[in-house]
Amino acid sequence: MSTGFSLFVILGTLGTLVVITALLLLNRKVTNPGQTTGHEFDGIEEYDNPLPAWWFWGFLLSIAFALGYLIYYPGLGNFKGLSGWTSAGQLAQQQAEAEERYGPVFAQYREIPVHELATIPAAMRMGQRLFANNCAQCHGSAGTGAPGFPNLTDNEWQWGNSAEQIAQTLNNGRQAVMPAWSGVVNAIGIRNLTEYVMQLSGREAVSDQAQAGQQEYNRLCAACHGADGSGQPMLGAPDLTNNIWLYGGSREQITDVLRHGRNGQMPGFAGRLDENRLHILNAYVQSLSTQ
Ligand code: HEC
Ligand code: HEC
């Protein structure tokens, strides 16, 4: 906070303590011991008695405690307190303690190759928990995905499913580049391309349009999706022949992808999860598609 606001908080806090202390001391003296104060309500009168000693000293003690607390812990504006305690520091310490306890549990699987690890139930239970905490919000709790978020339980892999390719995906993330074609190809061209994509995926298509689309495809798309449409893992270009769709397989959905392009992004986890956990997740991803 700014220095001015910090001063305001400090003065406000200390000022309140001073005022409370003063009120307490001022009210300790009684003017007419044993007499009534003259206040009367409905026949009930108030005696002018001193504050009970236990209560008075208890109050003073709590004020002293408050002062001590404000000196030791951060509480007065920007003043950090003598203890050096911070909530971030406490969190880091607790995380370090947790890591010390649970780290070895994850580390024990580090040397087991991914495909073998995928068959060890205890490890896959850990994988499932890691997946639920880090991946399920995008890929679904069962890994079945949603439009724009790939299904990890099928056998279509944009970026490949070897242990190395998955490790690359999880560590560094992936950024897909499917260009928008509306500025390059006119509406008829897009329609023809859509028909060709329908045909590639083994569905009914208007054949002369698909034929015209194929020529455009060879010119514009084959470099990424392959001449036969089977995709290119280096670029994350999906296989267009298997009728599995990230963005939907209807004519309208395909046309929309062709017009506007798509830039799916998988975040990298290298800084967030350590290698041992990513190794288990790698195996868990393998287990999802081989169940
Ligand atoms: C620069 C490489 C590149 C070129 C060129 C390219 N694509 Fe793509 N395409 C991609 C990538 C990468 C994706 C995946 C996008 C994503 O995951 O967000 C994709 C996605 C698609 C999809 C969606 C697939 C799905 O599962 O939903 C279709 C359909 C498609 N491309 C068709 C085409 C057609 C037709 C052309 C030619 C007009 C073309 N692409 C040109 C790289 C390319
Ligand atoms: C913020 C959302 C998000 C989170 C969180 C996320 N992913 Fe992804 N993931 C994506 C998207 C989007 C793609 C597709 C990228 C593209 O279009 O190419 C993807 C792609 C992938 C792929 C590549 C699929 C293929 O076909 O090649 C794998 C594997 C994967 N994610 C696994 C995971 C795992 C494991 C986690 C948890 C550690 C995770 N993801 C967390 C959004 C997410």
Side-chain angles (χ1 to χ4, degrees):
M1 60 184 105
S2 71
T3 317
F5 189 63
S6 166
L7 269 176
F8 174 75
V9 171
I10 293 174
L11 287 178
T13 312
L14 293 182
T16 309
L17 289 178
V18 168
V19 170
I20 291 174
T21 314
L23 271 176
L24 194 62
L25 294 176
L26 285 175
N27 282 297
R28 190 158 197 231
K29 287 229 161 52
V30 293
T31 32
N32 303 306
Q35 307 287 309
T36 77
T37 56
H39 298 157
E40 189 247 308
F41 182 77
D42 215 10
I44 300 171
E45 293 176 84
E46 185 188 352
Y47 277 97
D48 192 5
N49 280 340
L51 300 166
W54 67 265
W55 190 88
F56 176 79
W57 289 108
F59 210 133
L60 270 192
L61 247 144
S62 67
I63 291 172
F65 175 81
L67 269 179
Y69 185 95
L70 288 171
I71 291 170
Y72 192 67
Y73 287 111
L76 285 177
N78 285 336
F79 176 58
K80 293 196 163 39
L82 299 181
S83 65
W85 183 93
T86 62
S87 51
Q90 186 177 38
L91 177 69
Q93 193 199 341
Q94 285 169 350
Q95 280 173 339
E97 280 166 14
E99 189 52 42
E100 207 172 299
R101 264 179 69 193
Y102 299 118
V105 180
F106 294 110
Q108 65 181 316
Y109 297 118
R110 187 70 184 94
E111 299 307 324
I112 303 179
V114 161
H115 287 94
E116 199 179 315
L117 192 54
T119 63
I120 301 177
M124 289 306 92
R125 278 196 296 276
M126 278 180 213
Q128 190 174 26
R129 279 195 292 275
L130 287 169
F131 191 86
N133 287 335
N134 296 287
C135 324
Q137 72 267 39
C138 290
H139 292 284
S141 53
T144 47
F149 299 100
N151 182 348
L152 303 177
T153 67
D154 62 18
N155 271 316
E156 154 124 16
W157 296 95
Q158 272 176 270
W159 304 94
N161 75 330
S162 71
E164 294 72 34
Q165 286 164 320
I166 301 270
Q168 179 80 6
T169 299
L170 300 189
N171 271 291
N172 306 331
R174 299 287 195 181
Q175 170 73 64
V177 180
M178 161 69 186
W181 298 101
S182 55
V184 182
V185 186
N186 65 18
I188 292 174
I190 297 271
R191 186 201 63 192
N192 293 346
L193 279 165
T194 302
E195 287 309 312
Y196 182 60
V197 171
M198 293 295 287
Q199 189 185 76
L200 269 179
S201 53
R203 291 174 298 165
E204 230 169 87
V206 185
S207 62
D208 56 332
Q209 293 176 7
Q211 217 171 350
Q214 181 169 15
Q215 277 162 27
E216 290 286 271
Y217 179 92
N218 289 337
R219 192 165 66 88
L220 300 171
C221 325
C224 290
H225 289 280
D228 59 353
S230 62
Q232 170 55 262
M234 290 285 285
L235 300 167
D239 184 340
L240 300 176
T241 66
N242 58 10
N243 204 10
I244 295 175
W245 304 98
L246 181 58
Y247 297 107
S250 72
R251 278 190 171 77
E252 293 71 33
Q253 287 163 322
I254 291 172
T255 304
D256 194 69
V257 169
L258 296 185
R259 277 209 193 109
H260 304 294
R262 287 290 186 273
N263 295 287
Q265 196 173 359
M266 158 72 191
F269 282 82
R272 287 195 264 168
L273 294 173
D274 65 22
E275 285 194 353
N276 297 334
R277 285 174 173 81
L278 287 175
H279 186 66
I280 293 175
L281 272 168
N282 191 328
Y284 184 70
V285 169
Q286 302 288 350
S287 78
L288 283 175
S289 56
T290 49
Q291 268 163 11

